[in-house]
mmCIF file of all heavy atoms in Angstrom:
data_model
loop_
_atom_site.group_PDB
_atom_site.id
_atom_site.type_symbol
_atom_site.label_atom_id
_atom_site.label_comp_id
_atom_site.label_asym_id
_atom_site.label_seq_id
_atom_site.Cartn_x
_atom_site.Cartn_y
_atom_site.Cartn_z
ATOM 1 N N LYS A 638 -22.998 69.898 -28.749
ATOM 2 C CA LYS A 638 -23.104 69.063 -29.946
ATOM 3 C C LYS A 638 -23.141 69.923 -31.216
ATOM 4 O O LYS A 638 -22.497 69.621 -32.215
ATOM 5 C CB LYS A 638 -24.351 68.187 -29.876
ATOM 6 C CG LYS A 638 -24.492 67.249 -31.084
ATOM 7 C CD LYS A 638 -25.736 66.387 -30.969
ATOM 8 C CE LYS A 638 -25.777 65.368 -32.104
ATOM 9 N NZ LYS A 638 -25.690 65.971 -33.439
ATOM 10 N N ILE A 639 -23.922 71.019 -31.179
ATOM 11 C CA ILE A 639 -24.010 71.903 -32.347
ATOM 12 C C ILE A 639 -22.646 72.510 -32.663
ATOM 13 O O ILE A 639 -22.232 72.580 -33.818
ATOM 14 C CB ILE A 639 -25.048 73.013 -32.105
ATOM 15 C CG1 ILE A 639 -26.452 72.401 -31.971
ATOM 16 C CG2 ILE A 639 -25.043 74.030 -33.239
ATOM 17 C CD1 ILE A 639 -27.508 73.386 -31.517
ATOM 18 N N LEU A 640 -21.930 72.916 -31.625
ATOM 19 C CA LEU A 640 -20.601 73.488 -31.827
ATOM 20 C C LEU A 640 -19.676 72.478 -32.492
ATOM 21 O O LEU A 640 -18.944 72.795 -33.429
ATOM 22 C CB LEU A 640 -20.001 73.921 -30.498
ATOM 23 C CG LEU A 640 -20.392 75.302 -29.972
ATOM 24 C CD1 LEU A 640 -19.725 75.547 -28.628
ATOM 25 C CD2 LEU A 640 -20.000 76.381 -30.953
ATOM 26 N N LYS A 641 -19.721 71.247 -32.013
ATOM 27 C CA LYS A 641 -18.838 70.229 -32.581
ATOM 28 C C LYS A 641 -19.203 69.935 -34.027
ATOM 29 O O LYS A 641 -18.327 69.764 -34.882
ATOM 30 C CB LYS A 641 -18.900 68.950 -31.734
ATOM 31 C CG LYS A 641 -18.224 69.126 -30.378
ATOM 32 C CD LYS A 641 -18.229 67.828 -29.603
ATOM 33 C CE LYS A 641 -17.483 68.002 -28.291
ATOM 34 N NZ LYS A 641 -17.434 66.764 -27.520
ATOM 35 N N ASP A 642 -20.499 69.877 -34.325
ATOM 36 C CA ASP A 642 -20.926 69.659 -35.702
ATOM 37 C C ASP A 642 -20.473 70.810 -36.590
ATOM 38 O O ASP A 642 -20.023 70.615 -37.719
ATOM 39 C CB ASP A 642 -22.455 69.513 -35.777
ATOM 40 C CG ASP A 642 -22.942 68.229 -35.127
ATOM 41 O OD1 ASP A 642 -22.105 67.335 -34.907
ATOM 42 O OD2 ASP A 642 -24.139 68.138 -34.834
ATOM 43 N N THR A 643 -20.604 72.041 -36.078
ATOM 44 C CA THR A 643 -20.222 73.225 -36.851
ATOM 45 C C THR A 643 -18.741 73.231 -37.166
ATOM 46 O O THR A 643 -18.317 73.573 -38.264
ATOM 47 C CB THR A 643 -20.578 74.504 -36.068
ATOM 48 O OG1 THR A 643 -21.981 74.507 -35.824
ATOM 49 C CG2 THR A 643 -20.208 75.752 -36.850
ATOM 50 N N MET A 644 -17.921 72.835 -36.176
ATOM 51 C CA MET A 644 -16.478 72.942 -36.334
ATOM 52 C C MET A 644 -15.822 71.644 -36.768
ATOM 53 O O MET A 644 -14.610 71.552 -36.869
ATOM 54 C CB MET A 644 -15.865 73.433 -35.024
ATOM 55 C CG MET A 644 -16.265 74.870 -34.705
ATOM 56 S SD MET A 644 -15.599 75.488 -33.155
ATOM 57 C CE MET A 644 -16.746 74.828 -31.989
ATOM 58 N N GLY A 645 -16.634 70.605 -37.038
ATOM 59 C CA GLY A 645 -16.070 69.360 -37.535
ATOM 60 C C GLY A 645 -15.333 68.554 -36.488
ATOM 61 O O GLY A 645 -14.491 67.725 -36.823
ATOM 62 N N LEU A 646 -15.629 68.772 -35.199
ATOM 63 C CA LEU A 646 -14.964 68.021 -34.148
ATOM 64 C C LEU A 646 -15.626 66.662 -33.999
ATOM 65 O O LEU A 646 -16.819 66.509 -34.203
ATOM 66 C CB LEU A 646 -15.039 68.777 -32.820
ATOM 67 C CG LEU A 646 -14.433 70.189 -32.814
ATOM 68 C CD1 LEU A 646 -14.589 70.803 -31.434
ATOM 69 C CD2 LEU A 646 -12.974 70.152 -33.211
ATOM 70 N N GLU A 647 -14.831 65.659 -33.607
ATOM 71 C CA GLU A 647 -15.367 64.315 -33.454
ATOM 72 C C GLU A 647 -15.916 64.130 -32.047
ATOM 73 O O GLU A 647 -15.593 64.871 -31.116
ATOM 74 C CB GLU A 647 -14.269 63.288 -33.753
ATOM 75 C CG GLU A 647 -13.797 63.371 -35.204
ATOM 76 C CD GLU A 647 -12.884 62.228 -35.577
ATOM 77 O OE1 GLU A 647 -12.620 61.370 -34.713
ATOM 78 O OE2 GLU A 647 -12.436 62.181 -36.729
ATOM 79 N N ASP A 648 -16.741 63.094 -31.886
ATOM 80 C CA ASP A 648 -17.442 62.887 -30.622
ATOM 81 C C ASP A 648 -16.496 62.685 -29.451
ATOM 82 O O ASP A 648 -16.825 62.985 -28.323
ATOM 83 C CB ASP A 648 -18.370 61.662 -30.726
ATOM 84 C CG ASP A 648 -19.550 61.950 -31.634
ATOM 85 O OD1 ASP A 648 -19.843 63.141 -31.840
ATOM 86 O OD2 ASP A 648 -20.162 60.994 -32.128
ATOM 87 N N ASP A 649 -15.301 62.157 -29.708
ATOM 88 C CA ASP A 649 -14.409 61.848 -28.607
ATOM 89 C C ASP A 649 -13.593 63.042 -28.160
ATOM 90 O O ASP A 649 -12.696 62.916 -27.355
ATOM 91 C CB ASP A 649 -13.476 60.694 -28.973
ATOM 92 C CG ASP A 649 -12.809 60.902 -30.319
ATOM 93 O OD1 ASP A 649 -13.506 61.302 -31.256
ATOM 94 O OD2 ASP A 649 -11.597 60.661 -30.421
ATOM 95 N N ASP A 650 -13.906 64.239 -28.663
ATOM 96 C CA ASP A 650 -13.222 65.445 -28.226
ATOM 97 C C ASP A 650 -13.888 66.010 -26.965
ATOM 98 O O ASP A 650 -14.106 67.201 -26.837
ATOM 99 C CB ASP A 650 -13.226 66.507 -29.333
ATOM 100 C CG ASP A 650 -12.294 66.132 -30.455
ATOM 101 O OD1 ASP A 650 -11.125 65.860 -30.179
ATOM 102 O OD2 ASP A 650 -12.756 66.109 -31.606
ATOM 103 N N ASN A 651 -14.253 65.130 -26.028
ATOM 104 C CA ASN A 651 -14.869 65.575 -24.783
ATOM 105 C C ASN A 651 -13.799 65.982 -23.789
ATOM 106 O O ASN A 651 -12.654 65.572 -23.876
ATOM 107 C CB ASN A 651 -15.709 64.453 -24.165
ATOM 108 C CG ASN A 651 -17.011 64.257 -24.906
ATOM 109 O OD1 ASN A 651 -17.582 65.206 -25.407
ATOM 110 N ND2 ASN A 651 -17.460 63.020 -24.976
ATOM 111 N N THR A 652 -14.180 66.779 -22.841
ATOM 112 C CA THR A 652 -13.282 67.133 -21.746
ATOM 113 C C THR A 652 -13.989 66.850 -20.445
ATOM 114 O O THR A 652 -15.213 66.706 -20.391
ATOM 115 C CB THR A 652 -12.903 68.617 -21.806
ATOM 116 O OG1 THR A 652 -14.082 69.381 -21.598
ATOM 117 C CG2 THR A 652 -12.324 68.989 -23.155
ATOM 118 N N ASP A 653 -13.214 66.772 -19.388
ATOM 119 C CA ASP A 653 -13.812 66.506 -18.074
ATOM 120 C C ASP A 653 -14.825 67.579 -17.707
ATOM 121 O O ASP A 653 -15.863 67.300 -17.125
ATOM 122 C CB ASP A 653 -12.711 66.442 -17.012
ATOM 123 C CG ASP A 653 -11.819 65.226 -17.189
ATOM 124 O OD1 ASP A 653 -12.270 64.270 -17.848
ATOM 125 O OD2 ASP A 653 -10.688 65.238 -16.674
#
Side-chain angles (χ1 to χ4, degrees):
K638 182 179 186 305
I639 295 171
L640 276 179
K641 289 183 177 181
D642 291 344
T643 301
M644 293 179 278
L646 302 180
E647 296 189 0
D648 290 340
D649 49 316
D650 288 307
N651 285 326
T652 65
D653 292 339

